[in-house]
């Protein structure tokens, strides 16, 4: 059975983010026959999850694999748990419903220029998407940098303690030097 890799970008990001672009270029050069999707996720959690579910429904003949950054890591965990998939998470959000309480109000996505209003109901949507317990921690590889200015890396280190963990000192929320991990990321994801 062929694989499908789904790359999920973070909050207020897009398929045109640096990591998403690097991932697509890597696949094109090294795995030209591999199916990869980088969906444009909605700014609202339930809508974003519905977009991913609709994409999965179109590929029932493939083994699912996820790469998720920040909030995309949170959503990847949800999908990995639901579908028994493998995932690589980059500085993943663990409790975004707590973090985004400070972001309630109006925003403009810097990539898409779409204005949106983050409300309390969206925090509830995030809570509903939580996967507090991992059925198969071995299905995850989590890449963390300690100087992440947005998320406390220790939360992810704790949640994914039974998974493969790479913790680098320094760096930032974007995960500096992400592209150097791409060969190993795809070896991990495509190994059955």
């Amino acid at each position: 059975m062929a694989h499908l890799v789904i790359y999920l970008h973070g909050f207020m990001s897009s398929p045109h983010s640096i990591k998403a672009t690097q991932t697509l270029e890597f696949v094109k050069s090294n795995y030209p026959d591999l199916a990869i999707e980088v969906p444009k996720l909605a700014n609202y959690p339930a809508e974003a999850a519905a977009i991913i579910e609709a994409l999965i429904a179109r590929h029932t003949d493939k083994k699912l694999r996820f790469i998720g950054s920040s909030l995309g890591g949170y959503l990847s965990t949800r999908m990995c748990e639901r579908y028994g998939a493998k995932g690589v998470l980059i500085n993943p959000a663990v409790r975004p419903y707590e973090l985004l309480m400070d972001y309630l109000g109006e925003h403009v996505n810097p990539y898409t220029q779409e204005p949106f209003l983050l409300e309390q109901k969206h925090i509830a949507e995030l809570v509903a998407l939580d996967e507090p317990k991992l059925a198969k921690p071995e299905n995850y590889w989590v890449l963390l940098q300690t100087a992440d200015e947005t998320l406390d890396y220790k939360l992810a280190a704790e949640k994914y303690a039974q998974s493969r963990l790479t913790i680098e000192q320094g760096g930032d929320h974007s995960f500096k030097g992400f592209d150097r991990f791409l060969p190993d990321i795809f070896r991990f994801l495509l190994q059955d």
Side-chain angles (χ1 to χ4, degrees), residues 26 88 141 164 180-189:
F26 178 82
V88 173
W141 179 17
R164 178 174 172 181
R180 69 200 144 97
F181 281 96
L182 283 165
D184 286 336
I185 284 170
F186 279 85
R187 271 194 286 277
F188 173 80
L189 289 176

PDB file of all heavy atoms in Angstrom, residues 26 88 141 164 180-189:
ATOM      1  N   PHE A  26      11.982  18.756  -0.949  1.00  0.00           N
ATOM      2  CA  PHE A  26      12.706  17.528  -0.613  1.00  0.00           C
ATOM      3  C   PHE A  26      12.016  16.317  -1.236  1.00  0.00           C
ATOM      4  O   PHE A  26      12.662  15.448  -1.827  1.00  0.00           O
ATOM      5  CB  PHE A  26      12.801  17.358   0.911  1.00  0.00           C
ATOM      6  CG  PHE A  26      13.500  16.098   1.316  1.00  0.00           C
ATOM      7  CD1 PHE A  26      14.886  16.031   1.358  1.00  0.00           C
ATOM      8  CD2 PHE A  26      12.778  14.957   1.633  1.00  0.00           C
ATOM      9  CE1 PHE A  26      15.536  14.846   1.702  1.00  0.00           C
ATOM     10  CE2 PHE A  26      13.417  13.775   1.983  1.00  0.00           C
ATOM     11  CZ  PHE A  26      14.796  13.719   2.017  1.00  0.00           C
ATOM     12  N   VAL A  88       5.574  12.994  12.511  1.00  0.00           N
ATOM     13  CA  VAL A  88       6.738  13.752  12.973  1.00  0.00           C
ATOM     14  C   VAL A  88       6.219  15.134  13.349  1.00  0.00           C
ATOM     15  O   VAL A  88       5.559  15.801  12.542  1.00  0.00           O
ATOM     16  CB  VAL A  88       7.830  13.849  11.888  1.00  0.00           C
ATOM     17  CG1 VAL A  88       8.946  14.792  12.332  1.00  0.00           C
ATOM     18  CG2 VAL A  88       8.399  12.464  11.583  1.00  0.00           C
ATOM     19  N   TRP A 141       7.738  10.901  16.256  1.00  0.00           N
ATOM     20  CA  TRP A 141       9.081  11.458  16.451  1.00  0.00           C
ATOM     21  C   TRP A 141       8.864  12.947  16.648  1.00  0.00           C
ATOM     22  O   TRP A 141       8.242  13.607  15.796  1.00  0.00           O
ATOM     23  CB  TRP A 141       9.982  11.174  15.263  1.00  0.00           C
ATOM     24  CG  TRP A 141      11.377  11.740  15.407  1.00  0.00           C
ATOM     25  CD1 TRP A 141      11.989  12.162  16.559  1.00  0.00           C
ATOM     26  CD2 TRP A 141      12.325  11.932  14.349  1.00  0.00           C
ATOM     27  NE1 TRP A 141      13.253  12.600  16.288  1.00  0.00           N
ATOM     28  CE2 TRP A 141      13.498  12.481  14.948  1.00  0.00           C
ATOM     29  CE3 TRP A 141      12.309  11.700  12.988  1.00  0.00           C
ATOM     30  CZ2 TRP A 141      14.628  12.801  14.193  1.00  0.00           C
ATOM     31  CZ3 TRP A 141      13.429  12.016  12.236  1.00  0.00           C
ATOM     32  CH2 TRP A 141      14.583  12.550  12.840  1.00  0.00           C
ATOM     33  N   ARG A 164       9.992   8.831  20.218  1.00  0.00           N
ATOM     34  CA  ARG A 164      11.327   9.252  19.818  1.00  0.00           C
ATOM     35  C   ARG A 164      11.377  10.773  19.977  1.00  0.00           C
ATOM     36  O   ARG A 164      10.515  11.487  19.436  1.00  0.00           O
ATOM     37  CB  ARG A 164      11.587   8.852  18.363  1.00  0.00           C
ATOM     38  CG  ARG A 164      12.934   9.282  17.835  1.00  0.00           C
ATOM     39  CD  ARG A 164      13.157   8.706  16.452  1.00  0.00           C
ATOM     40  NE  ARG A 164      14.352   9.239  15.830  1.00  0.00           N
ATOM     41  CZ  ARG A 164      14.760   8.901  14.612  1.00  0.00           C
ATOM     42  NH1 ARG A 164      14.064   8.028  13.895  1.00  0.00           N
ATOM     43  NH2 ARG A 164      15.855   9.422  14.108  1.00  0.00           N
ATOM     44  N   ARG A 180      17.698  20.019   7.634  1.00  0.00           N
ATOM     45  CA  ARG A 180      18.744  18.989   7.798  1.00  0.00           C
ATOM     46  C   ARG A 180      18.172  17.678   8.323  1.00  0.00           C
ATOM     47  O   ARG A 180      18.817  16.629   8.247  1.00  0.00           O
ATOM     48  CB  ARG A 180      19.875  19.512   8.689  1.00  0.00           C
ATOM     49  CG  ARG A 180      19.535  19.716  10.126  1.00  0.00           C
ATOM     50  CD  ARG A 180      20.521  20.687  10.826  1.00  0.00           C
ATOM     51  NE  ARG A 180      19.780  21.477  11.780  1.00  0.00           N
ATOM     52  CZ  ARG A 180      19.710  21.182  13.071  1.00  0.00           C
ATOM     53  NH1 ARG A 180      20.351  20.145  13.567  1.00  0.00           N
ATOM     54  NH2 ARG A 180      18.998  21.941  13.879  1.00  0.00           N
ATOM     55  N   PHE A 181      16.948  17.714   8.867  1.00  0.00           N
ATOM     56  CA  PHE A 181      16.317  16.496   9.384  1.00  0.00           C
ATOM     57  C   PHE A 181      15.468  15.770   8.332  1.00  0.00           C
ATOM     58  O   PHE A 181      15.002  14.659   8.582  1.00  0.00           O
ATOM     59  CB  PHE A 181      15.419  16.830  10.585  1.00  0.00           C
ATOM     60  CG  PHE A 181      16.177  17.030  11.857  1.00  0.00           C
ATOM     61  CD1 PHE A 181      16.531  18.314  12.269  1.00  0.00           C
ATOM     62  CD2 PHE A 181      16.556  15.954  12.641  1.00  0.00           C
ATOM     63  CE1 PHE A 181      17.239  18.511  13.446  1.00  0.00           C
ATOM     64  CE2 PHE A 181      17.275  16.142  13.823  1.00  0.00           C
ATOM     65  CZ  PHE A 181      17.615  17.426  14.217  1.00  0.00           C
ATOM     66  N   LEU A 182      15.238  16.389   7.197  1.00  0.00           N
ATOM     67  CA  LEU A 182      14.294  15.808   6.224  1.00  0.00           C
ATOM     68  C   LEU A 182      14.638  14.384   5.787  1.00  0.00           C
ATOM     69  O   LEU A 182      13.739  13.540   5.736  1.00  0.00           O
ATOM     70  CB  LEU A 182      14.122  16.748   5.019  1.00  0.00           C
ATOM     71  CG  LEU A 182      13.214  17.951   5.324  1.00  0.00           C
ATOM     72  CD1 LEU A 182      13.360  19.034   4.250  1.00  0.00           C
ATOM     73  CD2 LEU A 182      11.753  17.525   5.455  1.00  0.00           C
ATOM     74  N   PRO A 183      15.898  14.047   5.483  1.00  0.00           N
ATOM     75  CA  PRO A 183      16.182  12.651   5.111  1.00  0.00           C
ATOM     76  C   PRO A 183      15.753  11.662   6.197  1.00  0.00           C
ATOM     77  O   PRO A 183      15.110  10.646   5.901  1.00  0.00           O
ATOM     78  CB  PRO A 183      17.697  12.635   4.893  1.00  0.00           C
ATOM     79  CG  PRO A 183      18.040  14.056   4.535  1.00  0.00           C
ATOM     80  CD  PRO A 183      17.101  14.903   5.351  1.00  0.00           C
ATOM     81  N   ASP A 184      16.065  11.969   7.464  1.00  0.00           N
ATOM     82  CA  ASP A 184      15.697  11.068   8.568  1.00  0.00           C
ATOM     83  C   ASP A 184      14.192  11.065   8.814  1.00  0.00           C
ATOM     84  O   ASP A 184      13.617  10.028   9.168  1.00  0.00           O
ATOM     85  CB  ASP A 184      16.437  11.461   9.850  1.00  0.00           C
ATOM     86  CG  ASP A 184      17.911  11.081   9.796  1.00  0.00           C
ATOM     87  OD1 ASP A 184      18.253  10.152   9.026  1.00  0.00           O
ATOM     88  OD2 ASP A 184      18.716  11.713  10.497  1.00  0.00           O
ATOM     89  N   ILE A 185      13.559  12.216   8.645  1.00  0.00           N
ATOM     90  CA  ILE A 185      12.101  12.298   8.827  1.00  0.00           C
ATOM     91  C   ILE A 185      11.408  11.335   7.868  1.00  0.00           C
ATOM     92  O   ILE A 185      10.526  10.572   8.262  1.00  0.00           O
ATOM     93  CB  ILE A 185      11.601  13.751   8.614  1.00  0.00           C
ATOM     94  CG1 ILE A 185      11.955  14.609   9.844  1.00  0.00           C
ATOM     95  CG2 ILE A 185      10.100  13.783   8.332  1.00  0.00           C
ATOM     96  CD1 ILE A 185      11.723  16.097   9.665  1.00  0.00           C
ATOM     97  N   PHE A 186      11.811  11.348   6.616  1.00  0.00           N
ATOM     98  CA  PHE A 186      11.151  10.480   5.639  1.00  0.00           C
ATOM     99  C   PHE A 186      11.523   9.020   5.818  1.00  0.00           C
ATOM    100  O   PHE A 186      10.699   8.138   5.591  1.00  0.00           O
ATOM    101  CB  PHE A 186      11.355  11.001   4.212  1.00  0.00           C
ATOM    102  CG  PHE A 186      10.384  12.107   3.911  1.00  0.00           C
ATOM    103  CD1 PHE A 186      10.680  13.412   4.264  1.00  0.00           C
ATOM    104  CD2 PHE A 186       9.136  11.837   3.383  1.00  0.00           C
ATOM    105  CE1 PHE A 186       9.767  14.435   4.070  1.00  0.00           C
ATOM    106  CE2 PHE A 186       8.214  12.840   3.164  1.00  0.00           C
ATOM    107  CZ  PHE A 186       8.526  14.147   3.508  1.00  0.00           C
ATOM    108  N   ARG A 187      12.742   8.740   6.283  1.00  0.00           N
ATOM    109  CA  ARG A 187      13.080   7.352   6.614  1.00  0.00           C
ATOM    110  C   ARG A 187      12.175   6.857   7.724  1.00  0.00           C
ATOM    111  O   ARG A 187      11.653   5.740   7.668  1.00  0.00           O
ATOM    112  CB  ARG A 187      14.556   7.243   7.027  1.00  0.00           C
ATOM    113  CG  ARG A 187      15.480   6.998   5.839  1.00  0.00           C
ATOM    114  CD  ARG A 187      16.861   6.558   6.285  1.00  0.00           C
ATOM    115  NE  ARG A 187      17.619   7.657   6.836  1.00  0.00           N
ATOM    116  CZ  ARG A 187      18.302   8.535   6.096  1.00  0.00           C
ATOM    117  NH1 ARG A 187      18.335   8.435   4.771  1.00  0.00           N
ATOM    118  NH2 ARG A 187      18.973   9.519   6.675  1.00  0.00           N
ATOM    119  N   PHE A 188      11.948   7.680   8.756  1.00  0.00           N
ATOM    120  CA  PHE A 188      11.077   7.314   9.875  1.00  0.00           C
ATOM    121  C   PHE A 188       9.631   7.102   9.402  1.00  0.00           C
ATOM    122  O   PHE A 188       9.003   6.103   9.727  1.00  0.00           O
ATOM    123  CB  PHE A 188      11.133   8.401  10.949  1.00  0.00           C
ATOM    124  CG  PHE A 188      10.150   8.203  12.074  1.00  0.00           C
ATOM    125  CD1 PHE A 188      10.406   7.307  13.109  1.00  0.00           C
ATOM    126  CD2 PHE A 188       8.950   8.906  12.111  1.00  0.00           C
ATOM    127  CE1 PHE A 188       9.492   7.108  14.146  1.00  0.00           C
ATOM    128  CE2 PHE A 188       8.029   8.728  13.140  1.00  0.00           C
ATOM    129  CZ  PHE A 188       8.312   7.819  14.165  1.00  0.00           C
ATOM    130  N   LEU A 189       9.134   8.042   8.611  1.00  0.00           N
ATOM    131  CA  LEU A 189       7.722   7.979   8.200  1.00  0.00           C
ATOM    132  C   LEU A 189       7.435   6.813   7.255  1.00  0.00           C
ATOM    133  O   LEU A 189       6.363   6.216   7.322  1.00  0.00           O
ATOM    134  CB  LEU A 189       7.311   9.283   7.523  1.00  0.00           C
ATOM    135  CG  LEU A 189       7.174  10.514   8.425  1.00  0.00           C
ATOM    136  CD1 LEU A 189       6.864  11.743   7.571  1.00  0.00           C
ATOM    137  CD2 LEU A 189       6.101  10.309   9.483  1.00  0.00           C
TER     138      LEU A 189
END
